[in-house]
Amino acid sequence: MTRPLRVAVVGAGPAGVYAADILTKSDADVQIDLFEKLPAPYGLVRYGVAPDHPRIKGIVTALQRVLDKPSVRFFGNVEYGVDLKLDDLRQFYDAVIFSTGASTDRPLDLPGIDLPGSYGAADFVSWYDGHPDVPRTWPLTAKSVAVLGVGNVALDVARILAKTADELLTTEIPPNVHEGLASSPVTDVHVFGRRGPAQAKFTPLELRELDHSPNVEVIVHAEGIEFDEASMHAIRTNKQVEMIVKTLQEWAIRDVGDRPRRLHLHFLEAPVEVLGTDHVTGLRTETQELTGDGNVRGTGVYTDWDVQAVYRAVGYLSTQLPDIPFDHVKGTIPHVAGRVLDLDEAPIPGVYTTGWIKRGPIGLIGHTKGDALETITSLLEDAESLPRSSASADAVVEFLTQRGVPFVTNEGWQRLDQHEVALGAAQGRDRVKVVPRDEMTSICRG
Ligand SMILES: Cc1cc2nc3c(=O)[nH]c(=O)nc-3n(C[C@H](O)[C@H](O)[C@H](O)COP(=O)(O)OP(=O)(O)OC[C@H]3O[C@@H](n4cnc5c(N)ncnc54)[C@H](O)[C@@H]3O)c2cc1C
C-alpha cells in the first residue's frame, strides 16, 4: 500500500492554513504538518487585524476547523531556521511549503526617521495585538501624533491611537495594552497622504469606520481635496474610489463637532523630514499638486506640524529564510506558480511558497486563498515525480523531542484558546489574550 503524500507547511497564518485545507480537499491522500514559530496559529489574523475588528478576527473559527482535521498536525513554537532546517524538512517530508508572511516595517528614507519617538506601524500593531515577542510597554506620551500613509494599516494605527482605552475594553486586548492606551494624553492624530483622495489605498469600510467613535472627531482638511484627470477617471470607473471620495468630500464640508479627540486626514502633503534633535518634535511636509496622471509634484510650500510622535505605515516587509532564495527588491521568495526557484531560476524539487512571502505584503486574508490554490495545483501536478522521504510520520516528533524543542500541538493550542476565552468571559468579553510567550507555552503544554 502506498503511504500518504507528506507535506510540511512552514507558517500557520491564513495562507498556510488555506494551503493545508485545499490539500485535504483534493483527491490526493495527504498528511500535513503545520510548523509555526509562535505558540498560537493564524499569523496576522491574530497579530495584525485590529482588535476592534472582531468580525474579521472571527475567521479563526473556519481556520481552526482545518487544524482539527485528522490529516493535519500543528507544531507551534517551532521556528524554521532555528529549530529545524531545510535539510531536516526534506528528510521528513516529500514537499515543503513556505508561508511565513511578513512581519516587519518597510523602511522609509526620510531625514530624522530614526529619532526616538518615530515608530514603525508593524511594531505598534504587534504591541496592541499582544504579540509575545515585542516589549510589554509602549511609549504613549505624545499629545499630537502623525501617521504617514493612507492604507488600511495607517487607518488602523490612527484609529487605535485616537480611540479611548475604554472603548477598546470590549475587545480581546490584553491588560498591558489597555493600561498603556489609558495613559495616552493624545488629543490629535494627523494622517498624511502624499497623493490625492482618489489615490488613497484604504477601503471605504475602513474609512467610514473612523467616524464611529463617540470620542473621535474626524476632520478632513479641504485643501487636499483635489482631483486631476486621472482622479476623475478613477472616480468614474472604480466604485470603491467613488465611495471613498464621496465620504471624504462630505466630511470636508461638515461642521466640526466637539468630541474630545480629533483625527485629521490630510491629502497632498508629503512628509519630507521628521524634526527634532534627540526626540521627535515635529514633522515637515511639502504640499503637492496633482500632475494630471494621478502622480504629484512638490509645490515648494512647506508646513511644520507640531507632533511629538511619528508612525510610518508605508507597508510590511517579509524576512529572508535560511537556505531559501529571496528577492530583496520585491521582498518575496522567487517562484513560478508557487514553485520556488533556485538562483539559476530552476524550480527546486519539492519546495513551494504561498501567501505574502510569495506575492508581497498586499491584499486581504481572502486573497491568500487564491495564492494557496495556485501553489497546491503546482504541488499536486508534481506529486508523482517528487522524491519520497523514507522517514516515518513520527520521526519529526522524535527529532523535536530529542532537540528539546517545547513544541505545542493543536490540543495544547486549544487549551490556550479556551483559557483566553474563559479570561474574556469573566469580563463579558469574547477573549482576553495571553501575551508572554512562556505563559502561552506553559498553558499549552498543560
Ligand atoms: C496590520 C494589519 C491589519 C490587517 N487587517 C486586515 C483586515 O482587517 N482584513 C483582512 O482581510 N486582511 C487584513 N490584513 C491582511 C492579512 O493579515 C494578510 O492578508 C494575511 O495575514 C497574510 O497571510 P500569510 O499567511 O501570508 O502571512 P501571515 O499572516 O504573516 O502568517 C505567517 C505566519 O508564519 C509564521 N512564521 C514566520 N516565520 C516563521 C518561521 N521562520 N518559522 C515558522 N513560522 C514562521 C508567522 O509567525 C505567522 O504566523 C491585515 C494586515 C496587517 C499587516
Side-chain angles (χ1 to χ4, degrees), residues 11 13-15 36-37 43-44 48 56 80 99-102 316 355-356 363-365:
E36 167 56 51
K37 72 175 178 182
L44 288 168
I56 296 162
Y80 171 81
S99 50
T100 48
Y316 270 52
W356 272 16
L364 298 174
I365 297 161

Side-chain angles (χ1 to χ4, degrees), residues 102-421:
S103 60
T104 59
D105 285 288
R106 190 171 279 282
L108 180 65
D109 187 15
L110 205 63
I113 199 73
D114 294 327
L115 277 170
S118 166
Y119 310 107
D123 292 335
F124 182 56
V125 168
S126 293
W127 174 74
Y128 70 57
D129 248 344
H131 195 293
D133 296 343
V134 298
R136 292 294 100 81
T137 56
W138 190 269
L140 287 160
T141 53
K143 285 187 83 164
S144 291
V145 176
V147 177
L148 315 183
V150 279
N152 279 344
V153 176
L155 295 196
D156 279 349
V157 165
R159 196 180 65 252
I160 298 292
L161 283 166
K163 273 184 164 181
T164 60
D166 285 351
E167 278 179 82
L168 293 165
L169 204 49
T170 53
T171 73
E172 62 183 33
I173 54 164
N176 68 300
V177 173
H178 178 254
E179 216 173 283
L181 291 170
S183 72
S184 169
V186 77
T187 56
D188 291 85
V189 177
H190 296 267
V191 178
F192 292 98
R194 197 174 63 87
R195 300 204 289 162
Q199 287 80 38
K201 294 272 181 272
F202 45 67
T203 50
L205 208 65
E206 283 259 353
L207 175 65
R208 282 201 297 267
E209 193 193 338
L210 291 182
D211 211 30
H212 294 170
S213 163
N215 297 305
V216 183
E217 210 60 69
V218 183
I219 301 168
V220 174
H221 289 248
E223 313 81 84
I225 305 296
E226 295 279 339
F227 307 98
D228 61 356
E229 225 170 279
S231 304
M232 295 311 293
H233 182 259
I235 294 166
R236 276 195 306 272
T237 56
N238 186 326
K239 192 88 200 135
Q240 187 146 316
V241 175
E242 186 196 348
M243 287 160 77
I244 289 169
V245 166
K246 187 167 175 280
T247 303
L248 290 170
Q249 283 178 315
E250 282 170 12
W251 289 357
I253 54 169
R254 69 181 175 182
D255 293 335
V256 177
D258 58 1
R259 297 180 204 178
R261 290 176 170 185
R262 289 164 295 276
L263 196 161
H264 308 258
L265 295 174
H266 307 270
F267 294 92
L268 296 171
E269 288 293 339
V272 292
E273 186 176 352
V274 179
L275 306 172
T277 44
D278 53 6
H279 195 277
V280 173
T281 56
L283 176 76
R284 179 165 299 156
T285 61
E286 182 185 11
T287 304
Q288 307 290 301
E289 61 188 11
L290 288 155
T291 54
D293 55 1
N295 283 317
V296 288
R297 64 175 159 245
T299 61
V301 176
Y302 295 90
T303 309
D304 288 354
W305 303 88
D306 180 17
V307 295
Q308 304 84 46
V310 171
Y311 291 76
R312 62 182 187 283
V314 293
Y316 270 52
L317 196 63
S318 297
T319 308
Q320 181 172 15
L321 297 167
D323 302 326
I324 300 297
F326 195 68
D327 181 331
H328 291 274
V329 178
K330 294 185 184 150
T332 53
I333 296 178
H335 73 97
V336 169
R339 296 179 178 96
V340 175
L341 301 177
D342 66 16
L343 295 179
D344 299 322
E345 304 205 337
I348 306 176
V351 182
Y352 302 86
T353 183
T354 192
W356 272 16
I357 185 96
K358 167 190 178 188
R359 183 167 42 86
I362 38 167
L364 298 174
I365 297 161
H367 296 124
T368 64
K369 257 189 201 171
D371 290 335
L373 185 60
E374 182 191 57
T375 297
I376 298 306
T377 304
S378 296
L379 190 156
L380 291 175
E381 276 171 17
D382 302 345
E384 288 285 303
S385 60
L386 293 175
R388 290 295 182 112
S389 152
S390 57
S392 77
D394 283 333
V396 71
V397 179
E398 282 162 36
F399 173 87
L400 293 172
T401 308
Q402 263 176 18
R403 291 192 128 201
V405 179
F407 66 86
V408 165
T409 60
N410 184 33
E411 211 183 10
W413 148 243
Q414 290 294 286
R415 261 196 291 276
L416 174 59
D417 186 44
Q418 282 154 20
H419 179 85
E420 291 187 338
V421 170

